[in-house]
Amino acid sequence: MASFQAVKKSFNLTPTVRALPSGVPAAPLLNLAARAPADPHAHDAPPSWAGGLSKTSSGLFSKTYTTGPAQRLFQQRLLHTSAVVKDAPEVPDFSGYRAKNTDNTRALSYVMVGTMGVLSASVAKSSVSEFLKTMAASADVLALAKVEVDISSIPEGKNVIIKWRGKPVFIRHRTQSEIDEARSANWKTFRDPQSDEERTKKPEWLVMLGVCTHLGCVPIGEAGDFGGWFCPCHGSHYDISGRARKGPAPLNLEVPVHDFNDAEGKLVIG
Amino acid sequence: MSLSTTIYNTFFKRNSIYVASVFTAAFAFGIGFDSGVTTFWDTWNKGKQWKDIRHKYVQDEE
Amino acid sequence: MLSRLPSGALKQASSAARLTRASAVSSSRSASVRFASSSSSTSSNAFESFMNSRLTLASATLFTAGTVAWYAHLYGTLPFLGEAHASHHSDEGLHPVAYPWSHNGFFDSFDHASIRRGYQVYREVCAACHSLDRIAWRNLVGVSHTADEARVMAEEVEYPDGPNDDGEMFQRPGKLADYMPAPYPNDEAARAGNAGALPPDLSLIVKARHGGADYIFSLLTGYIDPPAGVEIREGMNYNPFFPGGALSMARVLFDGLVEYDDGTPATTSQMAKDVVTFLNWAAEPEHDERKKTGIKAVILFSTLFVLSIYAKRFKWGPIKNRKIQYNPPADKSGH
């Protein structure tokens, strides 16, 4: 619309369509044949060749061309003849939409975006933790992974060997002298320094995996130089707390996770 | 100073505080939302869940 | 359709239209000067008049009706091909009614008291023939029984274990980790004990049957005498809900068959409802947790959706509301 003003100032827009020599834009699909009502005040009468009858091989034909009067000034053709000429460009008034208090709007937008962040972080956190849960052992594995042993029937000073996850587990009901022996030993000088307190939950019960830490043989109970276990394969000696004392074994016998159920006199391994 | 300005200056002005409060709020929201949904679930399904009928079967065990 | 028509017809119609049009134009030239023409070419005129003519309408109708008749004569009745039924509708079984299960809704958990009663029905009635392979004793813990109850029930069953130190297999009382004992050692034994019909495993039966819980309930309570004209073989039973109508399983639930320990009257439908609830739990043990998670997810994601619309509008607002104004260069000539 601004170009209305510009036209008078001989300001040229680059043509977007090809124009006929008469100045009419070439628009083959538009019907430009509408003739304007004869205007007695018009300066230029339509030329004689612009209409009339002609005889062709297929019969009489009427031809009607309309050419607008030649313009001295270039004027943009409008699609709507009803367009109102305006002095100012027609731009909607946005002032009604402007925020009255920009501080409120600013705080609100931060709150909204922040809330989105809060929810997304919460969703992401639970997704990740649920995914990690799938990596944990499933319920049926966990159900099999526990073994309950009735320890009330094990007399003092006796070994019991049970099977847990396919491995033997030694359970020894130690006598008071054995406990004293295990606790008084100078464990800091051992190959794998570990105190007896660390290895047992109750001093009279020693629970450990019966797999030699050297090459995986099953040690023999109540044997060896230290009154504990002795591995017949390569001669590793373990003391009464299951600590490696002599021979090739690099580590103490492993203590599995276990718990005591005092009410029923049971030991739960796993 | 209006409330919105106070909130803006407290939480949003520095991005580090903004991000930190978002993560803190996410943590708190997770706990609160879980317990809220659980409360709703338990109210809606009152008497149907195991924890509602459990007491009938464990009394004599103790 | 047009392409099927002989091309001559089109040509004739168009030339006829042109002739009439030419004479009309020449005679009424003065009238048509101002509104010269609304159609720019003769060929489209021809097409238009062809499309609007009664002759076209009549011939197209005739053509369509003829095609339909010929097709029907060749292949059968319309609108579809003639249906050849190899089976009767009763072979698909009666559709079960949609029952208002206590766990039907979006927010509804299982009725765990019903699961407990249903387990009792399963143990005392169904377990005589049907196995429940995928349910272990530990699954009952915290769902319908306490750990001690489940442990006692498991210990009543002997399970093979071993080998022991002598390499022998031995029997030991069950543990929580053991699965429900099957009534038959294998499928062949099950068939032999049931006149050749295999009682299906019930672990996933609610999911495995069309209609789910409604179907199982309808089947358990739907035994009736065969209607007139329906022949049922010896040893088979008639049930309209069973596809085919005849099944080997007889009606098993009768009023008062089971004595519930919570005092619920053991009517047939009560037992059927309880056992179906139990089997539904067996098929979907995750059901309660799933619905709870679903509530959370729907709330969270719908809120996030609304917020993301806000954020999108917030970000696009300045772009969409931008005003572009053109200021022409200042006029130096002064016109």
Side-chain angles (χ1 to χ4, degrees), chain B residues 47-49 53 56-57, chain C residues 101-103 110-122 143-144 260 262 264 269-279 281:
Chain B
K48 283 165 77 184
Q49 297 189 83
I53 58 170
K56 292 186 203 163
Y57 306 108
Chain C
W101 296 101
S102 59
H103 53 267
F110 278 129
D111 183 356
H112 284 244
S114 185
I115 296 179
R116 188 183 170 96
R117 290 192 298 268
Y119 171 73
Q120 192 183 348
V121 175
Y122 166 76
V143 174
S144 58
Y260 286 133
D262 59 359
T264 311
S269 54
Q270 176 72 39
M271 286 188 289
K273 176 237 170 191
D274 289 341
V275 81
V276 170
T277 308
F278 170 72
L279 291 176
W281 165 80

Side-chain angles (χ1 to χ4, degrees), chain B residues 34 44-45 48 50 57-58, chain C residues 102 107-109 112 116 146:
Chain B
D34 273 4
W44 187 276
N45 295 303
K48 283 165 77 184
W50 170 245
Y57 306 108
V58 287
Chain C
S102 59
F107 308 135
D108 288 325
S109 75
H112 284 244
R116 188 183 170 96
T146 64

Side-chain angles (χ1 to χ4, degrees), chain C residues 194-197 226 230-238 246-249:
Chain C
N194 288 286
V230 175
E231 290 271 325
I232 297 294
R233 272 196 294 129
E234 186 64 28
M236 302 293 271
N237 302 276
Y238 181 74
L247 77 166
S248 297
M249 179 176 146

Side-chain angles (χ1 to χ4, degrees), chain A residues 12 45 80 83 136 165 182 186 191 213 241 262:
Chain A
N12 269 332
H80 298 274
R165 300 187 190 177
N186 184 14
R191 181 170 299 160
T213 52
S241 187
D262 290 323

